[in-house]
Amino acid sequence: MNQRPVVNWNIVGGCNYRCSYCVQKHAEGVGGPDDEALERGLDVLCALPGVWEFKLSGGEPFLLKRLPEVAARLVGAGHRVSLLTNLSVPLPVIERFITAAGHGLRTFSCSLHVEETSPQAFLAKAIAAKQLLSALPKASFVVNHVVQPGRVSAAAALRREFEAAGMKFYPQLMRINGRPAPYGLIDRWKLDRAFADLAGPGSMNRGYSHQGKACHAGFRYFILHPKGDAYACYPAKRHGENYLGNIYQASFRLNDAPQLCPYAVCPCTVPQNRGIVIG
Ligand code: SF4
Ligand code: SF4
């Protein structure tokens, strides 16, 4: 697989939703950068050598009013942008973002959270948002959904409904504190029946392990916390390891070589799907 350098930028910590299974824990009190910090951070990121993809997420990234400008600045510097949103903002705001990112837009991901919105309202908006990508041949549209224990049949029904509407439906097994949530025998049987055809990180996030494999996290991939702290990957941050400095405080630097993965679970499929993990 071609290696595509990528950043998971949790650009704001806050969210307008309160999903019970949120791995970000809504990051209470962690807002986005102020204008000056954002300028400093954008200078650092725009200057990264080569072409990087910035996956903008949160919290809910649209809580940062300057999000379309962030996309335009990164793309203007030769980079690419992707997005992960809960799709709660009005369609004109989504359209502003898509227009700003233009041909630099890659993956537009939106997460369906049935605790906070009805699937029917979400689907109607997703269809309209996907339509906005029609002039961007390199952009793709994906609907993410966390499959909660005890709700596997409901998730399977959602998959059928969204796929029938022409959407890529991307199920994610739930995690608690970085570890896979426990699924009982009946849930596991239902998971097999409903999702067995979705093999690998490009089709479903099942919490894969790459322990011991060569990984370019920290070198060709990193994550950014809302306060600007950079880590090689999410497990590295959880363990307080492989810190790369802060983009808002001019202390950021990349590692200069890959490492062997020391972690039991690689919770985010973004690096796995961009050739960052080797082997
Ligand atoms: S929309 Fe996402 S970030 Fe917001 S509460 Fe739900 S899971 Fe957490
Ligand atoms: S968990 Fe391991 S494989 Fe995944 S990004 Fe981190 S170091 Fe790489």
Side-chain angles (χ1 to χ4, degrees):
M1 181 188 296
N2 280 345
Q3 189 181 69
R4 290 173 283 155
V6 61
V7 183
N8 272 107
W9 189 359
N10 296 100
I11 199 163
V12 288
C15 186
N16 53 330
Y17 283 1
R18 290 292 179 268
C19 308
S20 59
Y21 45 79
C22 181
V23 293
Q24 305 290 342
K25 312 243 184 295
H26 323 302
E28 290 289 5
V30 184
D34 62 26
D35 284 342
E36 283 179 20
L38 186 58
E39 289 301 323
R40 287 194 297 274
L42 280 171
D43 284 347
V44 169
L45 299 175
C46 286
L48 280 173
V51 179
W52 288 69
E53 176 189 351
F54 290 84
K55 181 144 190 175
L56 305 169
S57 66
E60 169 47 47
F62 276 112
L63 291 187
L64 185 78
K65 298 294 175 228
R66 294 176 66 189
L67 192 70
E69 181 196 339
V70 168
R73 291 268 292 275
L74 292 169
V75 171
H79 299 306
R80 309 285 179 254
V81 292
S82 292
L83 181 74
L84 175 59
T85 172
N86 60 28
L87 211 65
S88 59
V89 291
L91 203 58
V93 179
I94 294 170
E95 185 167 17
R96 257 200 312 280
F97 175 85
I98 292 172
T99 302
H103 287 277
L105 183 60
R106 288 298 176 265
T107 307
F108 188 110
S109 305
C110 47
S111 293
L112 167 60
H113 300 292
V114 294
E115 294 178 357
E116 296 281 358
T117 186
S118 87
Q120 291 70 35
F122 184 94
L123 177 57
K125 202 174 202 178
I127 289 170
K130 188 179 178 204
Q131 184 62 29
L132 295 172
L133 302 184
S134 54
L136 303 172
K138 293 197 170 163
S140 58
F141 193 89
V142 182
V143 174
N144 296 339
H145 180 66
V146 174
V147 183
Q148 293 176 264
R151 295 194 50 86
V152 179
S153 298
L158 288 170
R159 178 189 177 190
R160 286 193 293 275
E161 184 179 353
F162 278 70
E163 287 184 346
M167 299 280 161
K168 172 164 178 168
F169 189 82
Y170 189 87
Q172 301 166 294
L173 294 190
M174 201 173 118
R175 281 177 288 120
I176 300 171
N177 295 327
R179 302 227 146 246
Y183 289 85
L185 198 60
I186 293 175
D187 272 347
R188 293 203 300 277
W189 178 76
K190 289 180 177 176
L191 282 167
D192 258 357
R193 271 176 45 122
F195 301 114
D197 59 313
L198 302 180
S203 302
M204 182 168 179
N205 189 349
R206 297 175 183 269
Y208 305 95
S209 177
H210 298 292
Q211 204 165 31
K213 293 182 186 172
C215 177
H216 289 72
F219 176 47
R220 293 288 177 263
Y221 166 71
F222 58 94
I223 64 152
L224 282 171
H225 180 266
K227 286 190 179 301
D229 290 316
Y231 288 86
C233 65
Y234 287 113
K237 177 175 179 295
R238 177 174 293 277
H239 288 86
E241 297 167 354
N242 224 330
Y243 178 59
L244 306 175
N246 186 293
I247 59 162
Y248 300 142
Q249 295 166 8
S251 58
F252 173 76
R253 45 114 193 96
L254 284 170
N255 293 339
D256 50 18
Q259 60 167 356
L260 297 183
C261 172
Y263 304 113
V265 176
C266 185
C268 176
T269 52
V270 166
Q272 300 169 61
N273 288 330
R274 272 101 177 149
I276 302 300
V277 189
I278 311 293

